[in-house]
Amino acid sequence: MKKAIYYTLTGIFFALALVACALMCLTVYRESEKHLETIFSFLLFVGVCILFAPSVVVHECGHLFFGLFARMKPVSVRIGWLLFERKKIRFSFSQVAGRTQFLPMGDKNVRKRISAVSYGGAIFNFIYGLVFCVLFFTLPYHPVLFFFELFAPLHLFEGFCALLPAELPAGRTDGELIRLFRSNAPEAQTVAAVLTVQGILSRETFDSVDENMLFGLPVVREDEPAFLSLLHLRWQFLMWRGDVTRAATELNRLEELGEYLDDYDRAQVICDALFMRRIVEGKSEKNVMLPAAAKGTCAYFRAELAMKGGNIAQYKKIAAQETATGIRALESMFFERFIQNF
């Protein structure tokens, strides 16, 4: 769907949602004798909408719920500028209102599982919207209930927008991802391949990954998030196979595309590149300042060691904490083949 059509449709439905909220307030104000409570509920509703979007929170909860049932492990959840990751919360600027990232547990039926997760957010929005619309028309007025009922039109709007297929500056909508998978577009094939390999690595190692899964894919745009993930898997796969030269090529390409990565991922790629230059060229760039965003990651500790300033025991400790079996084994291989000789 073209952006102009998408923005026109969403603009119309957003206006309708706001009108519905206003009509709900006007109806309650006229029919209820508790005017002050009604006004307070409305002002609280406006204040909450300014601070954050509850419809986005419910939407991401839908993705999480369906993801857990589809055996997908949540990696991070973004709500506005808040990014929730494993055991930490950090502020991170993004154009995206909300996003939940998963890793599959196993490599079976990945496409169907992704589709289920994609529908989950909109389904939760529709459930909330329809339930509280029914409650508004069937139950007597109560200020607390009325506060939650006011969000119903915005939830219906959120669910509708999510299912519209469109590619926006902030990324693809759920509807666009579903459309790509239905048409088996090159982008969908890349996403499926990346998640399938990640699913294998959740239980096994790169020995179980066929090279064609990473290299026999159609061409996609270089700014594709899935393509950037693919490059990351490629260099790790080639290092596992002992093909250092090709691994360096893939990593160099990923470093060149760093502008498309967020600060956290870009910082790790910079550390990986320092590590790789030590291996390929024998360089230990002692005066280079490592990016703070990568601190505490395996990539950061490897880069420190490559610069002759790290602590091997500290690196081994953090490497042992890797959750994915395949990645943990990869860090072990990095140590056995390269780091212990630094």
Tab-separated table of all heavy atoms in Angstrom, residues 256-308:
chain	number	residue	atom	x	y	z
A	256	GLU	N	30.196	-1.518	7.237
A	256	GLU	CA	29.902	-0.437	6.302
A	256	GLU	C	28.439	-0.023	6.343
A	256	GLU	O	28.100	1.123	6.039
A	256	GLU	CB	30.280	-0.860	4.878
A	256	GLU	CG	31.786	-0.996	4.645
A	256	GLU	CD	32.103	-1.648	3.320
A	256	GLU	OE1	31.142	-2.018	2.597
A	256	GLU	OE2	33.306	-1.796	2.998
A	257	LEU	N	27.560	-0.949	6.715
A	257	LEU	CA	26.119	-0.671	6.779
A	257	LEU	C	25.679	-0.290	8.191
A	257	LEU	O	24.499	-0.333	8.514
A	257	LEU	CB	25.337	-1.908	6.307
A	257	LEU	CG	25.619	-2.374	4.873
A	257	LEU	CD1	24.830	-3.638	4.563
A	257	LEU	CD2	25.259	-1.276	3.878
A	258	GLY	N	26.646	0.099	9.024
A	258	GLY	CA	26.349	0.410	10.415
A	258	GLY	C	25.326	1.507	10.611
A	258	GLY	O	24.652	1.570	11.643
A	259	GLU	N	25.167	2.405	9.620
A	259	GLU	CA	24.198	3.496	9.743
A	259	GLU	C	22.763	2.974	9.846
A	259	GLU	O	21.876	3.689	10.338
A	259	GLU	CB	24.310	4.427	8.539
A	259	GLU	CG	23.970	3.758	7.204
A	259	GLU	CD	24.130	4.693	6.029
A	259	GLU	OE1	23.357	5.667	5.940
A	259	GLU	OE2	25.042	4.452	5.210
A	260	TYR	N	22.535	1.748	9.407
A	260	TYR	CA	21.187	1.179	9.468
A	260	TYR	C	20.936	0.423	10.776
A	260	TYR	O	19.828	-0.074	10.998
A	260	TYR	CB	20.960	0.218	8.294
A	260	TYR	CG	21.130	0.855	6.936
A	260	TYR	CD1	22.052	0.358	6.019
A	260	TYR	CD2	20.376	1.963	6.571
A	260	TYR	CE1	22.217	0.942	4.777
A	260	TYR	CE2	20.526	2.558	5.318
A	260	TYR	CZ	21.454	2.044	4.430
A	260	TYR	OH	21.607	2.625	3.203
A	261	LEU	N	21.946	0.314	11.615
A	261	LEU	CA	21.818	-0.403	12.884
A	261	LEU	C	21.541	0.583	14.011
A	261	LEU	O	21.892	1.764	13.930
A	261	LEU	CB	23.105	-1.167	13.196
A	261	LEU	CG	23.522	-2.250	12.198
A	261	LEU	CD1	24.947	-2.720	12.493
A	261	LEU	CD2	22.562	-3.428	12.254
A	262	ASP	N	20.918	0.088	15.084
A	262	ASP	CA	20.761	0.957	16.248
A	262	ASP	C	22.091	1.033	16.994
A	262	ASP	O	23.055	0.324	16.681
A	262	ASP	CB	19.626	0.483	17.161
A	262	ASP	CG	19.886	-0.878	17.805
A	262	ASP	OD1	21.059	-1.277	17.923
A	262	ASP	OD2	18.911	-1.536	18.194
A	263	ASP	N	22.168	1.922	17.980
A	263	ASP	CA	23.437	2.181	18.667
A	263	ASP	C	24.025	0.922	19.299
A	263	ASP	O	25.241	0.701	19.250
A	263	ASP	CB	23.231	3.249	19.758
A	263	ASP	CG	22.912	4.612	19.163
A	263	ASP	OD1	23.183	4.802	17.970
A	263	ASP	OD2	22.382	5.465	19.898
A	264	TYR	N	23.169	0.101	19.889
A	264	TYR	CA	23.617	-1.097	20.592
A	264	TYR	C	24.243	-2.104	19.631
A	264	TYR	O	25.353	-2.610	19.863
A	264	TYR	CB	22.430	-1.716	21.324
A	264	TYR	CG	22.735	-2.934	22.150
A	264	TYR	CD1	23.508	-2.846	23.306
A	264	TYR	CD2	22.233	-4.185	21.783
A	264	TYR	CE1	23.777	-3.970	24.079
A	264	TYR	CE2	22.494	-5.306	22.545
A	264	TYR	CZ	23.270	-5.193	23.686
A	264	TYR	OH	23.531	-6.315	24.441
A	265	ASP	N	23.550	-2.373	18.526
A	265	ASP	CA	24.062	-3.346	17.550
A	265	ASP	C	25.295	-2.809	16.825
A	265	ASP	O	26.248	-3.547	16.560
A	265	ASP	CB	22.963	-3.700	16.537
A	265	ASP	CG	21.845	-4.505	17.159
A	265	ASP	OD1	22.117	-5.211	18.143
A	265	ASP	OD2	20.701	-4.422	16.678
A	266	ARG	N	25.257	-1.516	16.492
A	266	ARG	CA	26.411	-0.915	15.802
A	266	ARG	C	27.655	-0.966	16.676
A	266	ARG	O	28.760	-1.235	16.186
A	266	ARG	CB	26.086	0.532	15.421
A	266	ARG	CG	27.209	1.221	14.644
A	266	ARG	CD	26.751	2.521	13.988
A	266	ARG	NE	26.201	3.454	14.957
A	266	ARG	CZ	24.914	3.774	15.056
A	266	ARG	NH1	24.037	3.220	14.221
A	266	ARG	NH2	24.488	4.640	15.952
A	267	ALA	N	27.478	-0.744	17.966
A	267	ALA	CA	28.625	-0.787	18.886
A	267	ALA	C	29.252	-2.175	18.916
A	267	ALA	O	30.481	-2.318	18.931
A	267	ALA	CB	28.168	-0.380	20.285
A	268	GLN	N	28.418	-3.214	18.907
A	268	GLN	CA	28.952	-4.579	18.924
A	268	GLN	C	29.673	-4.913	17.623
A	268	GLN	O	30.696	-5.614	17.630
A	268	GLN	CB	27.818	-5.576	19.172
A	268	GLN	CG	27.243	-5.503	20.575
A	268	GLN	CD	26.396	-6.711	20.902
A	268	GLN	OE1	26.877	-7.826	21.046
A	268	GLN	NE2	25.103	-6.486	21.025
A	269	VAL	N	29.149	-4.415	16.494
A	269	VAL	CA	29.800	-4.658	15.207
A	269	VAL	C	31.179	-4.000	15.180
A	269	VAL	O	32.148	-4.571	14.670
A	269	VAL	CB	28.923	-4.137	14.048
A	269	VAL	CG1	29.702	-4.155	12.732
A	269	VAL	CG2	27.665	-4.998	13.912
A	270	ILE	N	31.290	-2.805	15.752
A	270	ILE	CA	32.587	-2.119	15.824
A	270	ILE	C	33.580	-2.955	16.628
A	270	ILE	O	34.751	-3.116	16.238
A	270	ILE	CB	32.418	-0.719	16.461
A	270	ILE	CG1	31.639	0.200	15.514
A	270	ILE	CG2	33.778	-0.103	16.794
A	270	ILE	CD1	31.237	1.524	16.135
A	271	CYS	N	33.103	-3.511	17.732
A	271	CYS	CA	33.965	-4.382	18.556
A	271	CYS	C	34.349	-5.647	17.802
A	271	CYS	O	35.512	-6.089	17.847
A	271	CYS	CB	33.246	-4.745	19.854
A	271	CYS	SG	33.008	-3.354	20.987
A	272	ASP	N	33.397	-6.231	17.097
A	272	ASP	CA	33.680	-7.431	16.305
A	272	ASP	C	34.744	-7.141	15.240
A	272	ASP	O	35.620	-7.966	14.975
A	272	ASP	CB	32.401	-7.931	15.620
A	272	ASP	CG	31.446	-8.601	16.596
A	272	ASP	OD1	31.921	-9.149	17.604
A	272	ASP	OD2	30.233	-8.584	16.332
A	273	ALA	N	34.642	-5.945	14.626
A	273	ALA	CA	35.593	-5.584	13.568
A	273	ALA	C	37.007	-5.424	14.134
A	273	ALA	O	37.990	-5.820	13.488
A	273	ALA	CB	35.135	-4.295	12.889
A	274	LEU	N	37.133	-4.861	15.322
A	274	LEU	CA	38.445	-4.746	15.975
A	274	LEU	C	39.041	-6.126	16.244
A	274	LEU	O	40.229	-6.377	16.012
A	274	LEU	CB	38.310	-3.969	17.283
A	274	LEU	CG	38.107	-2.454	17.168
A	274	LEU	CD1	37.723	-1.872	18.520
A	274	LEU	CD2	39.374	-1.793	16.652
A	275	PHE	N	38.195	-7.020	16.726
A	275	PHE	CA	38.600	-8.403	16.996
A	275	PHE	C	39.075	-9.078	15.702
A	275	PHE	O	40.114	-9.743	15.666
A	275	PHE	CB	37.414	-9.140	17.616
A	275	PHE	CG	37.556	-10.627	17.683
A	275	PHE	CD1	38.466	-11.229	18.535
A	275	PHE	CD2	36.744	-11.444	16.899
A	275	PHE	CE1	38.584	-12.606	18.605
A	275	PHE	CE2	36.850	-12.820	16.967
A	275	PHE	CZ	37.770	-13.404	17.821
A	276	MET	N	38.314	-8.855	14.615
A	276	MET	CA	38.644	-9.489	13.345
A	276	MET	C	39.948	-8.944	12.766
A	276	MET	O	40.761	-9.705	12.215
A	276	MET	CB	37.495	-9.283	12.356
A	276	MET	CG	37.719	-9.956	11.007
A	276	MET	SD	37.837	-11.759	11.146
A	276	MET	CE	36.102	-12.189	11.238
A	277	ARG	N	40.182	-7.642	12.894
A	277	ARG	CA	41.426	-7.069	12.367
A	277	ARG	C	42.645	-7.615	13.105
A	277	ARG	O	43.711	-7.781	12.515
A	277	ARG	CB	41.375	-5.538	12.446
A	277	ARG	CG	40.543	-4.905	11.334
A	277	ARG	CD	40.806	-3.406	11.221
A	277	ARG	NE	40.202	-2.673	12.311
A	277	ARG	CZ	38.940	-2.221	12.303
A	277	ARG	NH1	38.159	-2.457	11.248
A	277	ARG	NH2	38.470	-1.543	13.323
A	278	ARG	N	42.464	-7.906	14.385
A	278	ARG	CA	43.570	-8.508	15.152
A	278	ARG	C	43.897	-9.893	14.601
A	278	ARG	O	45.060	-10.288	14.502
A	278	ARG	CB	43.174	-8.589	16.629
A	278	ARG	CG	44.180	-9.339	17.501
A	278	ARG	CD	45.493	-8.547	17.643
A	278	ARG	NE	46.534	-9.355	18.241
A	278	ARG	CZ	46.656	-9.582	19.553
A	278	ARG	NH1	45.785	-9.061	20.406
A	278	ARG	NH2	47.653	-10.312	20.004
A	279	ILE	N	42.860	-10.631	14.228
A	279	ILE	CA	43.058	-11.994	13.732
A	279	ILE	C	43.649	-11.994	12.322
A	279	ILE	O	44.609	-12.713	12.028
A	279	ILE	CB	41.719	-12.765	13.731
A	279	ILE	CG1	41.236	-12.963	15.173
A	279	ILE	CG2	41.860	-14.096	13.024
A	279	ILE	CD1	39.829	-13.484	15.274
A	280	VAL	N	43.059	-11.166	11.428
A	280	VAL	CA	43.458	-11.178	10.021
A	280	VAL	C	44.756	-10.424	9.781
A	280	VAL	O	45.638	-10.883	9.039
A	280	VAL	CB	42.330	-10.573	9.151
A	280	VAL	CG1	42.775	-10.480	7.688
A	280	VAL	CG2	41.067	-11.423	9.259
A	281	GLU	N	44.898	-9.234	10.422
A	281	GLU	CA	46.036	-8.373	10.128
A	281	GLU	C	47.057	-8.320	11.265
A	281	GLU	O	48.121	-7.719	11.118
A	281	GLU	CB	45.536	-6.955	9.831
A	281	GLU	CG	44.520	-6.902	8.687
A	281	GLU	CD	43.876	-5.535	8.556
A	281	GLU	OE1	44.427	-4.563	9.123
A	281	GLU	OE2	42.831	-5.433	7.895
A	282	GLY	N	46.708	-8.908	12.408
A	282	GLY	CA	47.614	-8.871	13.543
A	282	GLY	C	47.652	-7.532	14.246
A	282	GLY	O	48.552	-7.275	15.053
A	283	LYS	N	46.699	-6.656	13.951
A	283	LYS	CA	46.681	-5.320	14.541
A	283	LYS	C	46.034	-5.339	15.924
A	283	LYS	O	44.992	-5.930	16.121
A	283	LYS	CB	45.908	-4.350	13.651
A	283	LYS	CG	46.566	-4.058	12.312
A	283	LYS	CD	45.737	-3.055	11.519
A	283	LYS	CE	46.382	-2.716	10.191
A	283	LYS	NZ	45.561	-1.760	9.415
A	284	SER	N	46.671	-4.668	16.871
A	284	SER	CA	46.062	-4.472	18.190
A	284	SER	C	45.969	-2.970	18.428
A	284	SER	O	46.922	-2.339	18.854
A	284	SER	CB	46.904	-5.125	19.291
A	284	SER	OG	48.235	-4.647	19.240
A	285	GLU	N	44.840	-2.398	18.074
A	285	GLU	CA	44.655	-0.947	18.066
A	285	GLU	C	44.439	-0.452	19.496
A	285	GLU	O	43.315	-0.255	19.941
A	285	GLU	CB	43.492	-0.592	17.153
A	285	GLU	CG	43.704	-1.132	15.739
A	285	GLU	CD	42.466	-1.012	14.862
A	285	GLU	OE1	41.863	0.061	14.830
A	285	GLU	OE2	42.109	-2.019	14.222
A	286	LYS	N	45.535	-0.193	20.185
A	286	LYS	CA	45.485	0.111	21.618
A	286	LYS	C	44.825	1.443	21.946
A	286	LYS	O	44.268	1.610	23.017
A	286	LYS	CB	46.899	0.099	22.201
A	286	LYS	CG	47.581	-1.258	22.127
A	286	LYS	CD	48.965	-1.202	22.734
A	286	LYS	CE	49.652	-2.560	22.658
A	286	LYS	NZ	51.016	-2.527	23.252
A	287	ASN	N	44.902	2.401	21.061
A	287	ASN	CA	44.398	3.740	21.361
A	287	ASN	C	42.943	3.949	20.940
A	287	ASN	O	42.430	5.057	21.024
A	287	ASN	CB	45.280	4.795	20.671
A	287	ASN	CG	46.705	4.767	21.200
A	287	ASN	OD1	46.928	4.549	22.391
A	287	ASN	ND2	47.668	4.979	20.310
A	288	VAL	N	42.289	2.905	20.502
A	288	VAL	CA	40.895	3.018	20.071
A	288	VAL	C	39.971	2.970	21.289
A	288	VAL	O	40.137	2.130	22.169
A	288	VAL	CB	40.527	1.886	19.090
A	288	VAL	CG1	39.044	1.933	18.751
A	288	VAL	CG2	41.360	2.005	17.825
A	289	MET	N	39.003	3.904	21.336
A	289	MET	CA	38.028	3.928	22.417
A	289	MET	C	36.855	3.020	22.042
A	289	MET	O	36.175	3.259	21.043
A	289	MET	CB	37.527	5.359	22.649
A	289	MET	CG	36.548	5.493	23.804
A	289	MET	SD	37.319	5.252	25.418
A	289	MET	CE	38.305	6.748	25.529
A	290	LEU	N	36.636	1.988	22.817
A	290	LEU	CA	35.524	1.079	22.536
A	290	LEU	C	34.197	1.753	22.853
A	290	LEU	O	34.084	2.490	23.837
A	290	LEU	CB	35.663	-0.199	23.365
A	290	LEU	CG	36.846	-1.098	23.044
A	290	LEU	CD1	36.857	-2.315	23.960
A	290	LEU	CD2	36.815	-1.538	21.593
A	291	PRO	N	33.168	1.513	22.028
A	291	PRO	CA	31.864	2.146	22.255
A	291	PRO	C	31.223	1.678	23.553
A	291	PRO	O	31.127	0.475	23.805
A	291	PRO	CB	31.042	1.723	21.037
A	291	PRO	CG	31.725	0.504	20.508
A	291	PRO	CD	33.176	0.677	20.822
A	292	ALA	N	30.785	2.625	24.367
A	292	ALA	CA	30.215	2.299	25.677
A	292	ALA	C	28.944	1.477	25.559
A	292	ALA	O	28.615	0.700	26.455
A	292	ALA	CB	29.941	3.590	26.448
A	293	ALA	N	28.217	1.645	24.442
A	293	ALA	CA	26.941	0.934	24.274
A	293	ALA	C	27.111	-0.579	24.272
A	293	ALA	O	26.181	-1.317	24.589
A	293	ALA	CB	26.256	1.386	22.978
A	294	ALA	N	28.312	-1.055	23.924
A	294	ALA	CA	28.556	-2.496	23.844
A	294	ALA	C	29.095	-3.081	25.137
A	294	ALA	O	29.304	-4.292	25.239
A	294	ALA	CB	29.520	-2.802	22.706
A	295	LYS	N	29.324	-2.236	26.133
A	295	LYS	CA	29.955	-2.692	27.373
A	295	LYS	C	29.162	-3.826	28.006
A	295	LYS	O	27.945	-3.775	28.125
A	295	LYS	CB	30.079	-1.532	28.359
A	295	LYS	CG	31.074	-1.789	29.459
A	295	LYS	CD	31.428	-0.507	30.196
A	295	LYS	CE	32.552	-0.767	31.197
A	295	LYS	NZ	32.970	0.467	31.882
A	296	GLY	N	29.876	-4.861	28.422
A	296	GLY	CA	29.239	-6.007	29.061
A	296	GLY	C	28.902	-7.136	28.104
A	296	GLY	O	28.507	-8.212	28.528
A	297	THR	N	29.079	-6.919	26.796
A	297	THR	CA	28.799	-7.962	25.808
A	297	THR	C	30.061	-8.763	25.505
A	297	THR	O	31.185	-8.319	25.766
A	297	THR	CB	28.263	-7.353	24.492
A	297	THR	OG1	29.305	-6.561	23.898
A	297	THR	CG2	27.055	-6.470	24.754
A	298	CYS	N	29.866	-9.943	24.929
A	298	CYS	CA	31.016	-10.763	24.522
A	298	CYS	C	31.878	-10.024	23.507
A	298	CYS	O	33.109	-10.093	23.545
A	298	CYS	CB	30.526	-12.082	23.927
A	298	CYS	SG	29.911	-13.264	25.134
A	299	ALA	N	31.223	-9.303	22.587
A	299	ALA	CA	31.960	-8.571	21.565
A	299	ALA	C	32.884	-7.538	22.198
A	299	ALA	O	34.028	-7.350	21.753
A	299	ALA	CB	30.980	-7.886	20.607
A	300	TYR	N	32.411	-6.875	23.242
A	300	TYR	CA	33.205	-5.853	23.932
A	300	TYR	C	34.445	-6.483	24.586
A	300	TYR	O	35.563	-5.968	24.449
A	300	TYR	CB	32.342	-5.160	24.980
A	300	TYR	CG	32.990	-3.973	25.659
A	300	TYR	CD1	32.835	-2.690	25.143
A	300	TYR	CD2	33.749	-4.133	26.818
A	300	TYR	CE1	33.418	-1.592	25.761
A	300	TYR	CE2	34.340	-3.040	27.442
A	300	TYR	CZ	34.169	-1.777	26.909
A	300	TYR	OH	34.744	-0.692	27.529
A	301	PHE	N	34.238	-7.607	25.288
A	301	PHE	CA	35.358	-8.265	25.961
A	301	PHE	C	36.361	-8.822	24.964
A	301	PHE	O	37.575	-8.783	25.192
A	301	PHE	CB	34.847	-9.368	26.882
A	301	PHE	CG	34.179	-8.856	28.125
A	301	PHE	CD1	32.846	-9.105	28.375
A	301	PHE	CD2	34.891	-8.112	29.055
A	301	PHE	CE1	32.225	-8.635	29.518
A	301	PHE	CE2	34.282	-7.633	30.203
A	301	PHE	CZ	32.948	-7.896	30.439
A	302	ARG	N	35.871	-9.346	23.829
A	302	ARG	CA	36.780	-9.850	22.805
A	302	ARG	C	37.625	-8.725	22.222
A	302	ARG	O	38.810	-8.878	21.967
A	302	ARG	CB	35.989	-10.542	21.693
A	302	ARG	CG	35.667	-11.996	21.988
A	302	ARG	CD	35.146	-12.724	20.774
A	302	ARG	NE	33.711	-12.582	20.611
A	302	ARG	CZ	33.123	-11.831	19.689
A	302	ARG	NH1	33.857	-11.128	18.850
A	302	ARG	NH2	31.822	-11.778	19.601
A	303	ALA	N	36.975	-7.570	22.005
A	303	ALA	CA	37.703	-6.419	21.463
A	303	ALA	C	38.768	-5.938	22.451
A	303	ALA	O	39.872	-5.579	22.053
A	303	ALA	CB	36.726	-5.288	21.142
A	304	GLU	N	38.432	-5.938	23.740
A	304	GLU	CA	39.412	-5.557	24.764
A	304	GLU	C	40.633	-6.471	24.714
A	304	GLU	O	41.782	-6.020	24.774
A	304	GLU	CB	38.776	-5.620	26.155
A	304	GLU	CG	38.017	-4.381	26.561
A	304	GLU	CD	37.691	-4.383	28.039
A	304	GLU	OE1	37.464	-5.479	28.602
A	304	GLU	OE2	37.640	-3.299	28.634
A	305	LEU	N	40.367	-7.763	24.594
A	305	LEU	CA	41.468	-8.726	24.537
A	305	LEU	C	42.285	-8.544	23.260
A	305	LEU	O	43.507	-8.682	23.268
A	305	LEU	CB	40.914	-10.150	24.616
A	305	LEU	CG	40.330	-10.547	25.977
A	305	LEU	CD1	39.512	-11.824	25.865
A	305	LEU	CD2	41.459	-10.729	26.996
A	306	ALA	N	41.594	-8.230	22.165
A	306	ALA	CA	42.293	-8.003	20.898
A	306	ALA	C	43.203	-6.788	20.977
A	306	ALA	O	44.213	-6.703	20.279
A	306	ALA	CB	41.279	-7.823	19.773
A	307	MET	N	42.855	-5.841	21.857
A	307	MET	CA	43.661	-4.637	22.040
A	307	MET	C	44.692	-4.810	23.163
A	307	MET	O	45.310	-3.850	23.604
A	307	MET	CB	42.745	-3.447	22.356
A	307	MET	CG	41.825	-3.067	21.195
A	307	MET	SD	40.445	-2.004	21.729
A	307	MET	CE	41.355	-0.616	22.423
A	308	LYS	N	44.808	-6.046	23.660
A	308	LYS	CA	45.765	-6.386	24.723
A	308	LYS	C	45.470	-5.663	26.036
A	308	LYS	O	46.387	-5.332	26.792
A	308	LYS	CB	47.198	-6.066	24.273
A	308	LYS	CG	47.644	-6.859	23.049
A	308	LYS	CD	49.084	-6.577	22.706
A	308	LYS	CE	49.533	-7.407	21.507
A	308	LYS	NZ	50.942	-7.124	21.142
